Amino acid sequence: SYWWAVLGAVVLYGVLAVLHNTVFRREARERLYVTLNERGLARLSGAWREFTERGERFLSGSHLYTPDLDVFGQASLFQLLNETATRSGEERLASWLSAPASAEGVAARQGAARELAPLIGFRQDLCVEAQVVSREKADPRLFIQWAEQGPSLQAIRWSRPVALLLPPITLALYVLGQLEVLPSWLWWIGLFVQLGVVLATRRPLAVMEQSLSVGEHGFVRYAP
């Protein structure tokens, strides 16, 4: 009875720990929604000038218009507009503010703005999700780099047909050896050849798996 009670307590503790973590995660997410709406109110009241993200790293004294029009820096257009959560998002916004766009591009952005304007829930969900990803420092670039570098197992391409053929051949040698049709030791050759294939392909497969797993979390985190 004592051990059953201990086991029940451990299981109960595990369940409560999972629920507790879920509550904490929900609370953190709700706080992000609060912050997002507070920033929206700050834009209406003029308090947006206290936002910390001012885009100062994009300042350039030689640019044609960004210094004169306060595009970056304190009390700048970037400071007013920026709701990005990632470094790449900041760079995209900065590039739009500091470079001309075609008439077609401007019209497309205005159309997108009109479409997104009434979708308040969608926009807030997107901003909060981006903040969560940013806090976890999720970086999809490693996965994308692996995906775009081309086939990484060309050097051991020969092993695929070998891996399909060797097991049935080895099994056949074993059966024929038991039936005394062939020498009973021949199947050991097939077994050792399979082990040789494992050793020959082990390092390339490990390198590929490491490259994939390192970037996988950052990529999967962007799924929502």
Side-chain angles (χ1 to χ4, degrees):
S1 300
Y2 172 79
W3 286 110
W4 280 112
V6 170
L7 179 61
V10 170
V11 171
L12 179 61
Y13 176 83
V15 172
L16 291 177
V18 172
L19 294 175
H20 196 238
N21 181 62
T22 302
V23 170
F24 269 122
R25 293 174 68 90
R26 287 181 58 189
E27 181 187 16
R29 187 176 293 270
E30 294 302 322
R31 289 184 183 276
L32 290 175
Y33 280 102
V34 171
T35 301
L36 181 64
N37 284 280
E38 287 176 345
R39 286 172 63 87
L41 293 173
R43 289 189 176 91
L44 297 176
S45 65
W48 58 269
R49 294 174 179 84
E50 300 176 6
F51 292 171
T52 57
E53 309 88 359
R54 297 187 285 265
E56 291 171 335
R57 65 189 179 99
F58 303 111
L59 280 170
S60 174
S62 60
H63 195 274
L64 184 62
Y65 61 82
T66 54
D68 297 331
L69 300 181
D70 293 328
V71 176
F72 303 111
Q74 177 59 33
S76 64
L77 185 61
F78 183 92
Q79 189 179 18
L80 171 65
L81 294 178
N82 180 40
E83 202 59 66
T84 63
T86 62
R87 192 174 183 88
S88 60
E90 281 190 348
E91 292 171 352
R92 176 62 61 86
L93 176 59
S95 69
W96 282 5
L97 294 177
S98 56
S102 65
E104 293 79 7
V106 172
R109 293 177 192 172
Q110 291 174 344
R114 284 192 296 270
E115 180 182 349
L116 289 170
L119 304 179
I120 299 175
F122 171 78
R123 288 189 286 108
Q124 292 204 342
D125 291 344
L126 182 62
C127 287
V128 168
E129 196 65 41
Q131 289 287 345
V132 172
V133 170
S134 177
R135 289 187 177 188
E136 294 182 358
K137 299 187 183 303
D139 186 359
R141 289 178 297 178
L142 295 173
F143 183 89
I144 295 172
Q145 180 182 353
W146 169 83
E148 292 182 344
Q149 70 183 3
S152 56
L153 300 177
Q154 288 285 14
I156 58 171
R157 192 171 183 175
W158 54 268
S159 63
R160 186 169 185 177
V162 171
L164 294 173
L165 292 174
L166 274 179
I169 291 175
T170 303
L171 180 60
L173 290 175
Y174 176 79
V175 172
L176 293 174
Q178 293 299 310
L179 296 175
E180 298 183 352
V181 176
L182 294 174
S184 59
W185 52 267
L186 276 179
W187 79 279
W188 284 97
I189 297 177
L191 184 62
F192 282 117
V193 171
Q194 289 185 69
L195 292 175
V197 172
V198 170
L199 294 176
T201 58
R202 183 178 180 180
R203 181 173 177 79
L205 288 171
V207 171
M208 185 274 292
E209 183 178 6
Q210 183 179 11
S211 301
L212 176 60
S213 61
V214 165
E216 181 185 17
H217 173 74
F219 183 80
V220 171
R221 193 63 194 84
Y222 276 83

